[in-house]
C-alpha cells in the first residue's frame, strides 16, 4: 500500500508488469519476529482493500490465488496476458516459528 498508486503509472505507460501482493492483513513478518522474541502484539494487524478490485480501479487486471496449487497458474496467466496485472496471494505465517526458529536452533552447534 506504500506505493500502490504506481499501478496507474504502469498502466498509463502501457508497461508489462506483474505485481505479486503477499497478503497477510498485518505487518506479518514483523509480528511473528516480535512474538519469537517475546514482544507483545500491538498495532501490527489491520485490514486491506480488495486488491483485485483495487487493481481494476486503476485499469489493471487482477486475480486472487486461493490455494498453493493456484500460484503457478495465476502467475503464468498474468505474465502471458501482458499489461499490468496484480496477483494477490494470501499468506499464513503460522509455520514460520517452527521452520525458521525452532528447526534452525536445533541445528546450531552447542
Amino acid at each position: 500500500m506504500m506505493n500502490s498508486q504506481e499501478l496507474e503509472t504502469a498502466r498509463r505507460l502501457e508497461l508489462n508488469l506483474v505485481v505479486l501482493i503477499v497478503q497477510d492483513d498485518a505487518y506479518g513478518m514483523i509480528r511473528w519476529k516480535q512474538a519469537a522474541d517475546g514482544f507483545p502484539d500491538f498495532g501490527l494487524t489491520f485490514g486491506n482493500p480488495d486488491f483485485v478490485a483495487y487493481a481494476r480501479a486503476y485499469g489493471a487486471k487482477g486475480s486472487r490465488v486461493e490455494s498453493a496449487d493456484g500460484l503457478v497458474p495465476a502467475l503464468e496467466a498474468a505474465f502471458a496476458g501482458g499489461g499490468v496485472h496484480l496477483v494477490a496471494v494470501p499468506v499464513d505465517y503460522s509455520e514460520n516459528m517452527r521452520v525458521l526458529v525452532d528447526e534452525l536452533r536445533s541445528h546450531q552447534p552447542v
Side-chain angles (χ1 to χ4, degrees), residues 1-7 19-27 46-55 57-58 86 88:
M1 293 302 299
M2 294 179 190
N3 58 2
S4 61
Q5 70 281 359
E6 298 305 339
L7 288 172
V19 177
L20 181 69
I21 301 264
V22 179
Q23 184 175 346
D24 62 4
D25 297 331
Y27 289 124
F46 48 85
N48 285 117
D50 177 340
F51 285 112
V52 173
Y54 190 77
Y58 280 121
L86 180 147

Side-chain angles (χ1 to χ4, degrees), residues 19-97:
V19 177
L20 181 69
I21 301 264
V22 179
Q23 184 175 346
D24 62 4
D25 297 331
Y27 289 124
M29 292 295 286
I30 295 168
R31 187 175 179 220
W32 84 261
K33 284 181 182 183
Q34 286 185 349
D37 291 333
F39 290 102
D41 185 344
F42 179 77
L44 299 172
T45 303
F46 48 85
N48 285 117
D50 177 340
F51 285 112
V52 173
Y54 190 77
R56 291 180 182 152
Y58 280 121
K61 301 167 193 152
S63 62
R64 182 175 293 105
V65 173
E66 301 295 340
S67 70
D69 292 338
L71 179 59
V72 170
L75 289 174
E76 288 174 343
F79 281 110
V84 179
H85 195 119
L86 180 147
V87 179
V89 180
V91 64
D92 176 5
Y93 292 116
S94 64
E95 288 294 304
N96 281 17
M97 186 65 75

